[in-house]
């Protein structure tokens, strides 16, 4: 069984130590095209910068803050000191399959080949990978600042164009994503409906099939920082 609700969970340490082009320390601005994301702050402090058709805004983050943002909300986590977050993602498997689109400059986002080149990280030497992560982040920050300045000035044209480019980038994946969704979120919803039917009949056979599952963390680069992610699609069943 996948993680509850077909979601995924990871622990995020937001990037620090290498300022972005605007002097702030933080992650790679991006949006999700099909999934809502939630932050539960467990340590440190920072700011969540977001952009949507209502314009740019900033939300303070501190231990205990819980915020979430829907598809289309461009977001950037800014670290003001030791920012640590539990990330809960809707639709486990879709973000990993390319649901996120980074805010590279428009000439890159509008070109699938250039976008893939800018988004893909190399393998190998950790220092080489870390440098590539920073270059990718800084390129997305450049595009994000341009979008934010335009929106703050009342011009939403660049943001709408970015949305159009994001849809064009992910459209070829929609059928594959639907299969992932059917096997996770939709399947869990159907199973819950079946359990409710059974309970209405007074049938508790499923309680005898209960189990404990575990997913050890694995370390990887994320868009907003260093991640301790959990493979919620293939957990260990404890017997």
């Amino acid at each position: 069984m996948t993680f509850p609700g077909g979601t995924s969970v990871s622990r995020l340490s937001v990037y620090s130590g290498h300022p972005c082009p605007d002097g702030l320390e933080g992650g790679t601005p991006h949006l999700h095209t099909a999934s809502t994301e939630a932050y539960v702050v467990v340590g440190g402090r920072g700011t969540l910068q977001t952009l949507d058709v209502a314009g740019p805004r900033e939300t303070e983050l501190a231990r205990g803050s819980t915020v979430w943002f829907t598809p289309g909300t461009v977001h950037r986590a800014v670290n003001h000191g030791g920012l640590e977050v539990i990330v809960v993602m809707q639709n486990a498997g879709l973000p990993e399959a390319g649901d996120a689109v980074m805010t590279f400059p428009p000439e890159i986002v509008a070109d699938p080949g250039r976008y893939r080149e800018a988004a893909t990280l190399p393998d190998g030497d950790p220092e080489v990978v870390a440098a590539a992560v920073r270059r990718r982040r800084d390129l997305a920050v450049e595009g994000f600042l341009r979008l934010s300045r335009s929106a703050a000035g009342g011009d939403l044209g660049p943001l709408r164009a970015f949305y159009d480019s994001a849809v064009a980038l992910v459209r070829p994946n929609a059928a594959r994503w639907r299969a992932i969704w059917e096997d996770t979120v939709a399947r869990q919803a159907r199973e819950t409906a079946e359990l409710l039917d059974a309970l209405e009949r007074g049938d508790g056979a499923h309680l005898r099939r209960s189990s404990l599952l575990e997913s050890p963390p694995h370390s990887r680069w994320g868009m907003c920082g260093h991640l301790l992610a959990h493979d919620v699609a293939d957990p260990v069943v404890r017997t």
Side-chain angles (χ1 to χ4, degrees):
M1 176 179 287
T2 55
F3 201 73
T7 60
S8 66
V9 63
S10 58
R11 286 171 284 175
L12 168 67
S13 298
V14 178
Y15 290 128
S16 63
H18 295 276
C20 300
D22 59 354
L24 299 177
E25 297 182 353
T28 305
H30 63 283
L31 60 71
H32 295 278
T33 58
S35 302
T36 292
E37 182 174 4
Y39 281 2
V40 181
V41 181
V42 296
R45 60 189 183 88
T47 303
L48 179 69
Q49 296 184 340
T50 56
L51 174 64
D52 55 30
V53 294
R57 64 170 63 87
E58 293 193 354
T59 303
E60 294 299 314
L61 300 176
R63 184 180 176 88
S65 299
T66 300
V67 298
W68 59 94
F69 27 94
T70 60
T73 304
V74 180
H75 51 283
R76 176 196 187 193
V78 176
N79 193 346
H80 295 321
L83 186 58
E84 300 278 341
V85 176
I86 301 294
V87 179
V88 181
M89 279 298 319
Q90 184 187 27
N91 302 324
L94 297 196
E96 295 82 357
D99 171 40
V101 176
M102 289 170 272
T103 55
F104 298 143
E107 63 274 14
I108 296 176
V109 181
D111 184 325
R114 293 186 67 185
Y115 182 87
R116 283 193 298 272
E117 182 179 358
T120 302
L121 297 176
D123 295 322
D125 188 313
E127 292 187 4
V128 172
V129 177
V133 168
R134 291 193 294 272
R135 286 195 299 272
R136 183 179 74 172
R137 178 202 64 179
D138 291 351
L139 188 62
V141 168
E142 176 189 336
F144 174 70
L145 293 175
R146 290 164 63 175
L147 292 173
S148 294
R149 284 193 292 263
S150 294
D155 181 7
L156 292 175
L159 178 61
R160 293 193 176 103
F162 175 72
Y163 285 161
D164 290 342
S165 294
V167 171
L169 281 172
V170 306
R171 183 180 180 185
N173 300 321
R176 180 166 58 92
W177 291 0
R178 183 178 296 276
I180 294 172
W181 175 83
E182 286 283 358
D183 195 43
T184 53
V185 180
R187 178 166 58 84
Q188 283 205 13
R190 289 191 296 268
E191 288 173 351
T192 299
E194 292 168 0
L195 295 183
L196 294 174
D197 290 342
L199 290 171
E200 283 189 335
R201 298 192 304 269
D203 178 0
H206 62 281
L207 302 179
R208 297 171 177 81
R209 300 191 297 271
S210 58
S211 59
L212 169 66
L213 300 95
E214 181 181 5
S215 177
H218 63 276
S219 175
R220 65 177 178 86
W221 295 103
M223 292 187 187
C224 291
H226 181 261
L227 287 176
L228 287 176
H230 301 265
D231 182 0
V232 296
D234 189 23
V236 176
V237 179
R238 297 301 182 189
T239 57

